[in-house]
Amino acid sequence: MSLSFHWFLPTYGDSRGLVAGGHGTFMSGDRPASLRYLNQIGAAAEDNGFEAVLTPTGAWCEDAWLTTAMLVETTRTLKFLVAFRPGLVSPTLAAQMSATFQRHSEGRLLLNVVTGGEQHEQRAYGDFLDKEQRYARTGEFLHIVRSLWTATEPLTFTGEHLRVEGALLANRPDPLPPVFFGGSSQPAGPIAARYSDTYLTWGEPVSAVGAKLDWIRGLAAAENRVVDFGLRIHVISRDTAEAAWAEADRLLAGIDPADIERVQANLRRSESEGQRRMLELHGGSSDRLEIAPNLWAGVGLVRGGAGTALVGSHEEVAERLAEYAALGIDHFILSGYPHLEEAYWFGEGVLPVLERKGLWRHPNRPVKVAGGTPFAGAASS
């Protein structure tokens, strides 16, 4: 068994403190998201054994497609988990973009499909469908895209929201880009079961995550499919538990109460069920933020989306990750503040522990073969 670990590209900026905003709320860090800085994070992720980096989507960050395309040439093996929203571009164009990216990157594209839970942000892009309609359109969109990736004859499809006639790609992607998809509301489940390769959820207590995975497993079985599972969560890992919690306390102390009030007000109008579940974990209060062993909800006070972090010693964080893995989680998409430094804290601290447990191996490190050829000139015994 080898778990897959991925890192995060903060295309809105980075900081030594928590960056407030996201998911329909503008945000920026005091480290600008320049290509130079994002390249540093990409190199750190690649060197530490992360397989891919997730790039967010929305008006509050840089465009994911353009940014990742610019990073392909400065990395060697790192893959790019590109988040995008169905309905903002033609499904035929999205299939073509995916195929082009996959060909020029030599197979390093993964796709994160984001239906969109912030109605005010969707409308800013010219999308006026309601939540139920957006999920229905997502299903049609993925049907068209996945069909075009393998079609050898022109495709004609007429749905409630999307229609294509005689669509065909001149060059199909090889390999097919894996599709990651997240959603906690009822309309999300059937879409995930039918079209996703990996179902994503945000970090909640183990029992809550397990229940959600069972829900998707049942829906996928009804479709005669099996899907993988992924967890999106932050990490604060240090040599000792005391040092890790001291860092969490430092981040909490640096939060402006005005930012909490502003961000929470914006997030409360979200239509996202996952966002509602994140808000319930802390209730807008900083009083009781360790909601389960080593699971801290402080990030969600000022950040939309994934709002929890695993906090503890390298061994403790590895143990919590192993518990999620026991539920069936195969992919872990992680982040931390600042993202450059935290990639090393986790990569040099937690991943070796998981490697010793037999749960992970470095994807770019050659496997040692017993009895290999000795160096030239070595004395024989």
Side-chain angles (χ1 to χ4, degrees), residues 12 57 61 76 115 201 263 269 271 305-306 316-317 322 342 349 372 375:
Y12 44 79
T57 183
C61 55
R76 296 173 300 159
T115 299
T201 184
V263 173
R269 62 176 176 166
E271 294 180 317
E316 288 174 334
V317 171
E342 287 296 331
F375 289 111

Side-chain angles (χ1 to χ4, degrees), residues 24 27 34 44 116 130 172 176 184 188 199-200 209 272 281 319 337 352 377:
M27 62 196 304
S34 65
D130 63 28
R172 297 184 298 276
L176 299 182
S184 298
Y199 173 78
L200 284 178
V209 172
S272 166
L281 295 177
E319 186 61 33
Y337 296 91

Side-chain angles (χ1 to χ4, degrees), residues 84-89 112-116 122 127 134 137-139 141-142 162 181:
F84 76 100
R85 300 185 184 188
L88 301 187
V89 298
N112 179 29
V113 178
V114 181
T115 299
Q122 294 294 129
D127 178 16
R134 289 199 298 272
R137 181 181 59 192
T138 295
F141 186 96
L142 289 175
L162 298 174
F181 178 85

Side-chain angles (χ1 to χ4, degrees), residues 75-290:
T75 52
R76 296 173 300 159
T77 61
L78 189 69
K79 297 178 182 179
F80 297 94
L81 181 49
V82 177
F84 76 100
R85 300 185 184 188
L88 301 187
V89 298
S90 151
T92 305
L93 178 58
Q96 182 183 23
M97 291 165 63
S98 303
T100 299
F101 196 115
Q102 192 73 317
R103 187 164 53 259
H104 291 322
S105 69
E106 299 182 337
R108 291 194 279 150
L109 175 66
L110 310 130
L111 292 175
N112 179 29
V113 178
V114 181
T115 299
E118 325 306 330
Q119 191 174 84
H120 63 284
E121 189 178 24
Q122 294 294 129
R123 290 181 173 182
Y125 280 100
D127 178 16
F128 289 85
L129 297 186
D130 63 28
K131 182 177 178 178
E132 295 276 349
Q133 292 171 326
R134 289 199 298 272
Y135 273 111
R137 181 181 59 192
T138 295
E140 295 177 10
F141 186 96
L142 289 175
H143 172 79
I144 296 170
V145 169
R146 300 205 71 145
S147 297
L148 287 174
W149 283 346
T150 59
T152 57
E153 298 293 333
L155 172 71
T156 295
F157 173 85
T158 300
E160 182 180 356
H161 302 285
L162 298 174
R163 177 182 176 184
V164 297
E165 184 174 319
L168 185 67
L169 298 182
N171 294 294
R172 297 184 298 276
D174 183 22
L176 299 182
V179 174
F180 289 63
F181 178 85
S184 298
S185 62
Q186 287 304 311
I191 305 301
R194 191 171 298 128
Y195 297 110
S196 72
D197 297 300
T198 299
Y199 173 78
L200 284 178
T201 184
W202 291 330
E204 298 180 43
V206 171
S207 59
V209 172
K212 191 181 292 187
L213 269 54
D214 287 341
W215 169 51
I216 298 298
R217 280 195 189 96
L219 293 172
E223 296 283 342
N224 294 316
R225 298 187 72 239
V226 175
V227 300
D228 291 338
F229 296 104
L231 185 74
R232 172 75 183 98
I233 197 168
H234 305 274
V235 287
I236 304 174
S237 174
R238 295 294 185 271
D239 295 338
T240 66
E242 293 76 15
W245 285 108
E247 177 64 11
D249 290 341
R250 185 192 69 79
L251 291 172
L252 186 61
I255 296 177
D256 186 339
D259 280 336
I260 297 179
E261 183 177 350
R262 173 178 62 87
V263 173
Q264 291 298 302
N266 279 311
L267 294 179
R268 280 194 294 270
R269 62 176 176 166
S270 173
E271 294 180 317
S272 166
E273 175 66 13
Q275 187 63 73
R276 183 193 65 78
R277 292 167 70 115
M278 286 287 103
L279 294 179
E280 284 186 347
L281 295 177
H282 54 71
S285 171
S286 59
D287 292 339
R288 292 181 297 275
L289 293 175
E290 188 178 3

